[in-house]
Amino acid sequence: MQADGIISNTISQDIRLKGHQSIRLAADGFSILVSDASYKPVFLKQFTFDSSIQKDQFPAQCGRILEEYQLLSFEGETVLIMDTLAVTVVPKQFFNESQSRALLEKACSLKDTDQVHHRFIKARKIFLTYAVSKEIEALKERFIGDVKIIHASECLLSLADQVKSSDHQRGVMVADVQPFSLNILVIQEDQIKLLNSYTLTDPADFIYHALNTMNQLGLNRESIPIYLSGIIHEEHELFGLLGKYIRQVTTTPYYLEELTKVQILQYMVVSEASKCA
C-alpha cells in the first residue's frame, strides 16, 4: 500500500463533532478528506493498493485506516463516494422504487448481495440509482456518526454548477478522469444529455470516450467545451493531446484552501461530496 499525505493537520474535537468527512472508494484505493464546519480542508490522504489486494477488500482496508486515525468515531457528517459502473439515471416521472433494481440490472450486472440505493437530484428532477456492495454496507455500519453513500456522478452534477450558464445552454461536457475510471456528464439546453461512467485500463483511454461521446451526440468539437477534473491538468501531456481534437479544453473552476491547482483538480469530487450530502 502506498500512502500519500497531502494535508496532515490535527483534527480537533470541534471538527470531529461538527465537521465533514468524505471518503472516495476508487478502483485502485481510496482517499479521505476531513474538513471543518466551513468546508476548509484539515486532513487529506490518498491510499493506493497494488494488484495483490482484491477490490472487495478495499472497504475493510479503509476501515482499518480510519480506525487508526480514530475517524470511525467521527460524529460530524460522513459521506462514502462510490466510483463504479453500477449507476443509472431515471427521470422522476418514471421512477418506481420497487422497480429500481430491475432498471439498474438493465444497465449493468449486479451481485445478489448488492443493495440498490437511490438519491433524488431535485435541481434536475432525476433519480440516481446505483448499487452498493455488502462490503461498503459493512463499512458504513462501523461509523458512529451519520453516514450517507452517494455516487461520484452526483458530485459531477454538482460541479457542473461551477460552469457558465451560457455553456449549459449551448452545450458542455464535464469529465472527471481518475487513473482507472472516468465519469462524463453532457448538458445541452440546460438538460442532461448523458451521464455515464467508464472503466479505464489507461488514463489515455479517456480521450477515446470523450471523442466518441461527442460523435454519438452530434456535438461540435469546435464550439462545445470540455471541463476536466481529476488527474488531467493543464501541464499534463494528455491535456495537450485532447486539445488537438477538441478546441476548447479547460479545467473545472474550483477552490480549496491549502491545495495547489493540480491537487484541487484531483480532489474536487471528494470535496464536493460533502456539499451534495
Side-chain angles (χ1 to χ4, degrees):
M1 180 183 70
Q2 178 179 331
D4 296 317
I6 298 91
I7 305 176
S8 301
N9 296 330
T10 301
I11 304 173
S12 69
Q13 184 60 23
D14 186 63
I15 292 172
R16 291 180 180 276
L17 291 173
K18 303 175 185 177
H20 308 274
Q21 177 174 226
S22 299
I23 302 157
R24 184 177 188 178
L25 294 125
D28 58 344
F30 56 90
S31 52
I32 303 170
L33 171 66
V34 177
S35 306
D36 65 15
S38 63
Y39 298 101
K40 178 182 177 181
V42 296
F43 179 94
L44 175 57
K45 288 185 180 291
Q46 171 137 346
F47 300 87
T48 307
F49 297 104
D50 59 33
S51 58
S52 65
I53 305 295
Q54 298 297 314
K55 292 180 182 178
D56 59 4
Q57 296 177 6
F58 288 3
Q61 292 292 331
C62 181
R64 179 180 63 80
I65 296 297
L66 290 165
E67 186 173 35
E68 180 181 324
Y69 286 101
Q70 299 181 329
L71 290 173
L72 288 174
S73 59
F74 194 84
E75 295 183 56
E77 182 180 69
T78 294
V79 184
L80 298 178
I81 309 156
M82 305 293 299
D83 199 356
T84 65
L85 299 181
V87 59
T88 192
V89 176
V90 182
K92 179 183 178 182
Q93 64 267 33
F94 299 121
F95 181 77
N96 183 325
E97 185 172 357
S98 65
Q99 298 297 317
S100 58
R101 187 179 187 92
L103 282 171
L104 186 56
E105 286 180 324
K106 292 181 182 295
C108 60
S109 60
L110 301 180
K111 295 181 180 178
D112 292 340
T113 54
D114 287 343
Q115 293 192 24
V116 176
H117 289 218
H118 56 80
R119 280 175 61 86
F120 180 54
I121 312 300
K122 185 176 180 181
R124 293 293 174 181
K125 297 181 180 178
I126 62 169
F127 281 87
L128 274 182
T129 303
Y130 48 98
V132 177
S133 69
K134 65 178 182 179
E135 291 83 10
I136 297 294
E137 292 285 358
L139 175 60
K140 177 184 176 181
E141 294 303 314
R142 297 185 63 186
F143 288 92
I144 291 177
D146 178 50
V147 179
K148 293 182 175 65
I149 304 176
I150 70 174
H151 194 274
S153 295
E154 183 174 348
C155 303
L156 206 61
L157 282 165
S158 184
L159 286 172
D161 292 338
Q162 306 289 329
V163 176
K164 294 182 295 185
S165 58
S166 59
D167 285 338
H168 283 230
Q169 290 297 325
R170 181 175 66 253
V172 64
M173 178 185 290
V174 183
D176 181 66
V177 188
Q178 298 297 329
F180 299 101
S181 67
L182 169 66
N183 291 287
I184 289 181
L185 166 67
V186 177
I187 297 175
Q188 194 169 38
E189 296 178 351
D190 205 30
Q191 299 295 317
I192 297 173
K193 298 298 182 182
L194 178 139
L195 181 60
N196 216 342
S197 300
Y198 306 86
T199 297
L200 303 179
T201 55
D202 185 279
D205 294 343
F206 94 92
I207 295 178
Y208 164 79
H209 291 297
L211 295 175
N212 188 49
T213 296
M214 284 198 157
N215 289 336
Q216 288 188 341
L217 296 181
L219 302 176
N220 189 330
R221 288 187 285 170
E222 293 292 315
S223 61
I224 301 299
I226 177 169
Y227 287 80
L228 300 175
S229 63
I231 62 172
I232 308 300
H233 51 84
E234 292 175 340
E235 302 302 319
H236 197 290
E237 61 180 356
L238 294 179
F239 186 97
L241 182 58
L242 181 63
K244 293 181 178 181
Y245 304 101
I246 299 175
R247 183 173 183 179
Q248 299 184 57
V249 180
T250 188
T251 53
T252 304
Y254 206 76
Y255 176 71
L256 279 170
E257 291 185 57
E258 296 197 26
L259 296 182
T260 66
K261 187 173 181 180
V262 170
Q263 291 169 337
I264 290 171
L265 286 170
Q266 186 171 356
Y267 297 106
M268 67 170 67
V269 164
V270 75
S271 170
E272 193 67 14
S274 291
K275 297 163 190 175
C276 292

